[in-house]
Amino acid sequence: MAEQVDAVVIGMGPGGEHVAGRLAEAGLSVVGVEAELVGGECPYWGCVPSKMMIRAGNLLAEARRVPGMAGTVRQVVPDWAPVAARIRDEATDDWNDRVAADRFTGKGGRLVRGRGRLTGPRCVAVEGGEGGGQEFEARLGVVLATGSRPQIPPVPGLADVPYWTNRDAVSAKEAPRSLLVLGGGAIGLEVAQVYARFGTRVTIVEAADRLVPGEEPEAGALLAEVLGREGLVLRTGARAAAVRHEGDAFVLTLEDGTDLTGDQLLVATGRRVDLTGLGLETVGLDPGARSLAVDGRMQAAPGLWGVGDVTGHGAFTHVAMYEAEIAVRSVLGEPGPKADYRALPRVTFTDPEVGAVGLTEHQAREKGMRVRTGLSRVPSSARGWIHKAGNEGLVKLVEDADRGVLVGATAAGPAGGEVMYGLAVAVQAEVPVESLRHMIFAYPTFHRGVEDALADLRARESSPDAQGLSGGSSSRGRHGAL
């Protein structure tokens, strides 16, 4: 017979662990089911270790920017060993989740190792692992937080070669001599730039006609310019036709017949949700769906909730944590606001860093809005002029001209993700653009570029649907004048 508990959480990544821990702290009997590591992708193969890599790469870049600004650097010698050691020792405990597991059980939860599968409403069976064969019936319900996995394109030959995913790139003990990167989105670009700064010859292949195709085209153009100057080879508008592994080298054949070679091949073409094997058909849901459809309280069916990547609202840890808190309130029957994704933030941690929130210009137009945009360039701002080396960046604002509020924004530059925070508040709170214009912007800061973009936005008020953007900003002056 199935064991009676209050709640079962299948998948103990950031969102699932948060839900399970909060419910356990509330005094419920909670079972968390996990087949891999408690904590999920983020702390072991994603957000945390990759940012350690990026921090190291940025230090090398800064050292190379010293000449002409702060003295002389005799030699910059990259060494991947301390990066790999820090990831192993500080970030992942050598990919051991004991600390995370103890954190959960210390809150009163019970961890079961294995794969969870629904066998009916509020019923879960565990397969494989140490907990295989156990069955639970949850009085309140079940929370699915099973995350996502790399999306592997159907390129002939790819399934037969030892390609890298983000997990391999993060856990590598040494930097490869050369690297082919299939995919020019956030993960591909972050890893590509890091390895290039450690001496790896990098070629990026992106099927779309620009990098980071989900973001503003100005951001993609900016990254292409910077990465090109750093020596990375960029092939946009290029599709892979075949892959083979010859000796120690990968050969990637493009549709135009070009052969590209590299010591390693990273596949970074996005992530996908896989609902098969979760037993959704036993509760009347489609296991072949692209994601788990949930309402504003994260409920997918009576007694069933979903949080994180599985809901299809973005493969971001911060989305998983946001949804997790809503799900906790829903399971406990507590009041609170429903999910609101109008101001969903995202950051591509390249150098320059690209922070974005809400809708792009294209997305806003697709929704039928009368759109007005404004643009400023970081090098033309006082702080950008002072910063000098490594000051590439921009601020782009997207306004719903009828309502006079921002619906999206992009902040790219040395602190793009941080500048984006204020813009996220403006989008979330629907602060009138006119009010933003009358704010006091600290001088000289990177976020002062928002004021310049607002000025550019005002210049377009007479032509709300004007296409194209100016990059104008006259704020710096030779001596950093206002």
Side-chain angles (χ1 to χ4, degrees):
M1 293 180 62
E3 180 180 347
Q4 300 288 312
V5 297
D6 289 323
V8 177
V9 178
I10 302 177
M12 292 287 283
E17 183 189 351
H18 185 76
V19 171
R22 287 272 282 107
L23 294 179
E25 288 176 323
L28 303 185
S29 58
V30 181
V31 171
V33 182
E34 176 55 56
E36 294 189 288
L37 301 180
V38 176
E41 197 79 10
C42 176
Y44 301 104
W45 300 286
C47 317
V48 176
S50 69
K51 303 313 170 278
M52 287 183 172
M53 294 165 57
I54 290 166
R55 168 63 173 153
N58 288 352
L59 285 172
L60 292 175
E62 284 294 281
R64 291 164 179 148
R65 291 165 180 160
V66 167
M69 291 191 68
T72 301
V73 174
R74 298 296 181 187
Q75 191 176 19
V76 178
V77 182
D79 183 0
W80 190 256
V83 183
R86 188 179 182 209
I87 289 172
R88 182 182 64 250
D89 299 335
E90 296 180 32
T92 68
D93 288 338
D94 202 14
W95 290 272
N96 185 309
D97 68 350
R98 177 48 53 196
V99 170
D102 288 347
R103 180 171 60 229
F104 171 56
T105 57
K107 295 176 181 178
R110 173 181 167 190
L111 178 62
V112 175
R113 304 280 185 176
R115 297 190 179 279
R117 178 176 58 82
L118 293 167
T119 57
R122 296 181 174 85
C123 295
V124 173
V126 180
E127 302 170 343
E130 299 173 1
Q134 298 186 60
E135 296 184 12
F136 301 94
E137 183 174 353
R139 286 182 284 269
L140 294 178
V142 177
V143 180
L144 294 180
T146 49
S148 61
R149 62 184 62 182
Q151 172 69 54
I152 307 302
V155 178
L158 185 57
D160 302 320
V161 302
Y163 60 83
W164 275 5
T165 66
N166 64 294
R167 291 191 173 193
D168 304 286
V170 162
S171 58
K173 294 183 178 180
E174 59 185 31
R177 290 175 301 176
S178 58
L179 175 67
L180 301 174
V181 179
L182 194 57
I187 295 174
L189 295 188
E190 289 175 1
V191 172
Q193 187 177 44
V194 166
Y195 275 119
R197 288 178 167 181
F198 276 85
T200 300
R201 299 187 306 278
V202 177
T203 300
I204 299 170
V205 177
E206 168 56 50
D209 61 1
R210 56 188 173 88
L211 301 179
V212 285
E215 301 297 347
E216 297 284 10
E218 292 86 356
L222 174 69
L223 290 178
E225 178 184 351
V226 172
L227 296 176
R229 284 205 308 266
E230 292 190 8
L232 287 79
V233 176
L234 310 176
R235 297 294 299 265
T236 55
R239 292 184 176 275
V243 178
R244 63 184 187 275
H245 192 236
E246 298 179 344
D248 294 328
F250 290 85
V251 180
L252 181 64
T253 302
L254 304 182
E255 286 185 343
D256 66 3
T258 302
D259 281 345
L260 305 173
T261 61
D263 292 330
Q264 292 290 350
L265 169 65
L266 170 65
V267 178
T269 49
R271 301 185 67 82
R272 68 180 181 89
V273 172
D274 184 6
L275 299 179
T276 61
L278 293 177
L280 289 176
E281 66 279 0
T282 68
V283 293
L285 299 179
D286 181 9
R290 292 175 61 90
S291 60
L292 182 69
V294 295
D295 63 16
R297 300 276 287 169
M298 311 316 300
Q299 195 159 18
L304 181 67
W305 291 264
V307 301
D309 297 8
V310 72
T311 68
H313 292 126
F316 304 109
T317 294
H318 48 273
V319 171
M321 298 295 284
Y322 171 75
E323 293 181 338
E325 192 60 28
I326 296 172
V328 168
R329 293 198 303 266
S330 184
V331 172
L332 295 176
E334 297 176 349
K338 295 181 179 180
D340 179 359
Y341 302 99
R342 289 176 300 118
L344 196 157
R346 53 205 182 270
V347 183
T348 300
F349 290 91
T350 45
D351 176 17
E353 194 172 275
V354 180
V357 61
L359 303 176
T360 63
E361 177 184 358
H362 176 71
Q363 290 168 339
R365 293 187 186 280
E366 279 195 324
K367 287 182 175 290
M369 295 181 188
R370 238 173 22 109
V371 173
R372 185 160 46 226
T373 61
L375 184 76
S376 66
R377 299 283 180 178
V378 172
S380 296
S381 69
R383 180 61 181 274
W385 178 74
I386 293 167
H387 197 78
K388 197 174 180 178
N391 68 352
E392 299 88 350
L394 57 88
V395 174
K396 180 177 179 179
L397 308 179
V398 180
E399 179 192 14
D400 178 343
D402 290 328
R403 292 189 297 143
V405 297
L406 298 182
V407 293
T410 296
E418 310 305 324
V419 172
M420 180 267 294
Y421 167 72
L423 294 168
V425 172
V427 173
Q428 177 69 39
E430 297 185 329
V431 179
V433 168
E434 193 60 26
S435 296
L436 296 175
R437 289 196 179 104
H438 295 289
M439 285 177 54
I440 301 173
F441 294 85
Y443 177 90
T445 59
F446 285 117
H447 78 252
R448 194 173 172 86
V450 173
E451 185 177 43
D452 297 332
L454 287 166
D456 191 53
L457 193 63
R458 167 173 278 175
R460 299 175 183 281
E461 287 183 350
S462 60
S463 181
D465 290 305
Q467 299 291 325
L469 296 164
S470 73
S473 171
S474 56
S475 65
R476 68 165 175 85
R478 180 171 175 79
H479 300 292
L482 292 173

